[in-house]
Amino acid sequence: MSGVVELQSLPSRPPHLPATLELSGIAHSFGGFKVLSDVNFAVPQGQIVGLIGPNGSGKSTCFNIVSGFLSPKAGRVLLSGRDMAADSIQARTRQGLMRTFQTPKVFERMSVLENVMVGLHKDGRSGILASMLRTPSARRELDRLRNTAEGACRKFGLGKLLDAQTGRLPAGQRRVVELARAYVGAPRLLLLDEPSSGLNTEEIEQLRGWIAMLNSEGMTILLVSHDMGLMTIADTVHALYFGEIIASGPMTAIQADPRVREAYLGG
Amino acid sequence: MNKLRRSLLLLLLVLAWALAPLLLSRHLIDLFVFAGLFTIGGLGVGLLLGQCGIVNLAQALFYGIGAYSSAYVTVQLGLPSLTGFLAGMLASALIAIAVGWPVLRLTGFFLALATLALSLIGNVLFFEWDWLTGGTLGIGGIPKLSIFGFAFDTPERVYYLVWPIAILVLLLADNLVRGRPGLAMRAMRDAAPAAEVLGVDMHRLKTAMFVICAMLGSLAGSLFAHYVSYISVQSFTVERSIAFLLIPVVAGSASVWGIIAGALFVTFIPELLSGFGDIHQVLFGLALVLVVTLLPDGLIGGADRLAQLLKRRMA
């Protein structure tokens, strides 16, 4: 227990970096079953923050609360100091929040390029009438979306797969498509939900490279993963256990924490 | 070369279309007119099904609203035909917003059942509100469509009107599907949570597409009323809604231009099979089962596969 106190006292939010995301007193339950209880942590701007925990520890619930798929029973979620309680999923996106899913949710019947173009939807203006009439501004906008998406595809090594049907790609490439799609919208905060799930060692290494690249470009990242190796990329890691944060700190310290070892790593 | 071949094919199609009324019997021209109407009405259902993943079984309601609006406005009020078109489309749009906004929060089978219920309610209202619709007696004496003094009073004239309208709405729909809203629609169809996260306002987009579908249904209904001059509740039953849904299903739901093939199928195949007497409906059902099972991507998908096969054989 004393180890936990020590770890929690580690600065998870360096004073010189304003918090992009802050969770304060978050609690949630399904029926009478408590899944999150007084969860507090911050994701400082420009950092990678990790969230680990065994199955059922509340990681996904936490993610769903931040991204707006669930409303917490108590507590606040602040993005750059602004409470997002009343914001819809789309409103959060417009404010710069983006997430991926544990099982990549790509648009299977669309091409890789089209998938990534949808990542720019929030930046578009042309509506139904303008698109029907193919007004010059709608055409210009579509060209711009296409060019930007194409650039993002090339950046993520998808240049040769632009016209490929995404549903026919292997799991690793789908994951990259999802990442490129999230990246292209230039989010302020990117939430990555188990991004290494279903990937082989080589693909995980490549994924690590992508995450490092995104972070080096200034993207703030909240990462949920079971993969301890991947988690070492995080500046700070929070360990969830039965809905409570039991430890916070750098991954090396988390791995050494006896309670985390007992709860998560099996002693 | 491909472009040249495509242009030649298009030219041949246009020529065939233009010359068809000179060569075809009155009955066949009638069928082509109906196929054009079903293309317009079926396109709305096709956009919802193929692009948004929404099964809409309410199209007969809007088809009826268009038809009754045109009939009422021209027969009872003595106003010009175009007023009926506008009234029908406006009424359909308003009703689509009013019912679509709550109903389109549903998904999958529940949404399909809700639209089926709308069609049933519509049919009951068309029957009960006889002061407006004539009930089972219907409304007769609907004048032939007249636009700026030009009367579309022969099947040939209507043929030359309906198909350009059908092609125009198909072109507009094709532009829409290729544009930014089209990308959002297909994203919503393939992975709704991801589309939502990327900023697609799904409920608004679904409602907007439902309104477009309703307006297309109404347009087809108005054209139908002026063409047949007599309408009754029997033309706007759930069976009509199912027939509209069959159009994109048979065509291959994601294909905009394939709607033409679907509309031709649901118009001509029952007619061809009617020679078999009482059994013709069973045969039509069998034809549908064959298309759906043997051609999971519809007629257009099947034609694509055949073309690819031929290309491979010839290479």
Side-chain angles (χ1 to χ4, degrees):
Chain A
M1 193 68 196
S2 59
V4 174
V5 175
E6 271 176 42
L7 278 169
Q8 280 181 336
S9 66
L10 283 170
S12 63
R13 181 181 165 191
H16 60 283
L17 291 173
T20 293
L21 177 75
E22 197 170 339
L23 277 75
S24 157
I26 294 293
H28 197 71
S29 57
F30 293 116
F33 186 70
K34 238 185 222 179
V35 283
L36 288 177
S37 147
D38 194 27
V39 171
N40 297 283
F41 70 86
V43 184
Q45 194 175 312
Q47 287 204 1
I48 301 175
V49 170
L51 202 56
I52 61 164
N55 283 337
S57 61
K59 305 185 302 288
S60 294
T61 306
C62 196
F63 235 62
N64 286 336
I65 285 172
V66 173
S67 53
F69 281 84
L70 284 174
S71 296
K73 302 275 186 210
R76 298 193 311 159
V77 180
L78 306 164
L79 186 64
S80 297
R82 191 181 163 279
D83 194 346
M84 296 197 292
D87 294 341
S88 65
I89 296 170
Q90 296 93 340
R92 289 171 204 232
T93 305
R94 283 194 295 274
Q95 285 168 47
L97 194 144
M98 182 63 61
R99 73 165 285 181
T100 63
F101 295 85
Q102 187 168 351
T103 310
K105 293 203 186 300
V106 291
F107 308 126
E108 297 203 345
R109 287 196 270 167
M110 296 168 72
S111 71
V112 166
L113 180 63
E114 286 174 329
N115 261 267
V116 179
M117 283 171 79
V118 180
L120 293 159
H121 179 82
K122 68 180 171 62
D123 302 325
R125 289 275 174 278
S126 49
I128 287 175
L129 196 63
S131 299
M132 270 185 176
L133 299 172
R134 287 194 78 219
T135 59
S137 65
R139 269 182 295 174
R140 271 198 305 274
E141 184 178 88
L142 201 62
D143 285 344
R144 182 177 61 77
L145 297 187
R146 191 175 290 119
N147 291 337
T148 313
E150 213 174 303
C153 286
R154 295 197 195 289
K155 187 163 190 156
F156 282 83
L158 298 167
K160 287 184 180 161
L161 295 169
L162 295 179
D163 296 323
Q165 193 182 331
T166 315
R168 293 192 176 150
L169 299 180
Q173 281 176 333
R174 286 176 189 220
R175 185 69 75 186
V176 180
V177 171
E178 200 188 31
L179 207 58
R181 192 178 69 188
Y183 160 83
V184 78
R188 282 197 287 168
L189 173 67
L190 179 61
L191 312 177
L192 298 174
D193 193 357
E194 298 283 3
S196 60
S197 116
L199 303 189
N200 61 35
T201 322
E202 198 182 315
E203 286 169 335
I204 291 174
E205 212 37 57
Q206 198 182 30
L207 174 73
R208 202 184 155 83
W210 298 133
I211 295 173
M213 179 194 80
L214 296 178
N215 186 238
S216 72
E217 289 186 9
M219 209 170 277
T220 306
I221 293 167
L222 175 59
L223 172 68
V224 164
S225 183
H226 276 99
D227 189 323
M228 291 297 162
L230 180 65
M231 204 47 107
T232 55
I233 200 172
D235 298 295
T236 308
V237 176
H238 303 282
L240 264 177
Y241 187 57
F242 280 113
E244 288 179 40
I245 291 185
I246 56 167
S248 302
M251 193 58 201
T252 45
I254 292 283
Q255 278 173 316
D257 183 79
R259 192 160 168 205
V260 174
R261 292 178 74 88
E262 189 187 324
Y264 187 65
L265 304 170
Chain B
M1 188 62 191
N2 257 350
K3 208 171 178 181
L4 183 71
R5 208 181 289 170
R6 220 176 288 167
S7 305
L8 272 173
L9 189 68
L10 191 68
L11 188 70
L12 276 174
L13 274 173
V14 172
L15 265 175
W17 169 79
L19 296 174
L22 307 176
L23 308 168
L24 299 176
S25 67
R26 157 77 204 255
H27 179 58
L28 282 174
I29 297 172
D30 264 345
L31 289 177
F32 271 110
V33 169
F34 284 122
L37 297 178
F38 294 156
T39 299
I40 298 167
L43 173 63
V45 183
L47 286 173
L48 282 177
L49 182 70
Q51 310 301 322
C52 307
I54 294 170
V55 176
N56 176 18
L57 279 164
Q59 191 68 332
L61 167 68
F62 301 108
Y63 189 59
I65 290 172
Y68 282 120
S69 299
S70 282
Y72 191 81
V73 162
T74 51
V75 176
Q76 307 287 343
L77 305 179
L79 294 170
S81 331
L82 282 180
T83 323
F85 277 82
L86 292 175
M89 286 166 80
L90 184 66
S92 293
L94 292 175
I95 291 168
I97 292 171
V99 297
W101 191 255
V103 162
L104 289 164
R105 291 194 188 278
L106 301 171
T107 53
F109 295 120
F110 297 105
L111 179 54
L113 285 174
T115 61
L116 179 68
L118 286 177
S119 196
L120 287 166
I121 292 167
N123 196 247
V124 170
L125 293 180
F126 292 149
F127 180 76
E128 293 292 336
W129 290 357
D130 51 3
W131 56 272
L132 184 72
T133 64
T136 43
L137 294 175
I139 302 176
I142 303 164
K144 293 296 176 192
L145 178 61
S146 168
I147 300 173
F148 304 120
F150 184 84
F152 291 87
D153 52 3
T154 63
E156 290 81 5
R157 286 184 176 189
V158 179
Y159 171 93
Y160 287 122
L161 173 75
V162 165
W163 279 101
I165 293 176
I167 298 299
L168 177 69
V169 292
L170 283 164
L171 262 174
L172 294 174
D174 193 46
N175 287 344
L176 176 65
V177 166
R178 288 169 192 272
R180 175 176 167 267
L183 287 170
M185 280 186 251
R186 283 179 284 146
M188 181 170 77
R189 173 199 67 193
D190 284 3
E196 219 169 358
V197 160
L198 294 166
V200 176
D201 189 339
M202 296 206 301
H203 191 223
R204 212 172 135 183
L205 186 57
K206 280 182 191 176
T207 309
M209 291 313 295
F210 193 58
V211 169
I212 288 172
C213 172
M215 290 171 80
L216 286 168
S218 178
L219 174 63
S222 290
L223 287 165
F224 168 72
H226 284 293
Y227 186 56
V228 297
S229 296
Y230 166 78
I231 55 166
S232 78
V233 71
Q234 279 80 24
S235 301
F236 314 109
T237 58
V238 170
E239 282 80 8
R240 174 53 54 211
S241 284
I242 294 171
F244 274 125
L245 182 64
L246 283 178
I247 292 170
V249 170
V250 167
S253 61
S255 164
V256 169
W257 292 97
I259 293 292
I260 296 177
L264 290 171
F265 184 95
V266 301
T267 314
F268 279 88
I269 298 298
E271 199 59 29
L272 288 173
L273 296 173
S274 64
F276 291 94
D278 289 345
I279 203 172
H280 80 276
Q281 282 185 319
V282 175
L283 292 175
F284 182 61
L286 197 67
L288 278 177
V289 171
L290 283 175
V291 168
V292 173
T293 47
L294 297 178
L295 304 169
D297 301 325
L299 295 171
I300 298 302
D304 274 351
R305 266 192 287 167
L306 184 68
Q308 278 169 14
L309 192 77
L310 288 175
K311 208 185 261 181
R312 270 204 301 272
R313 286 261 167 97
M314 284 164 79

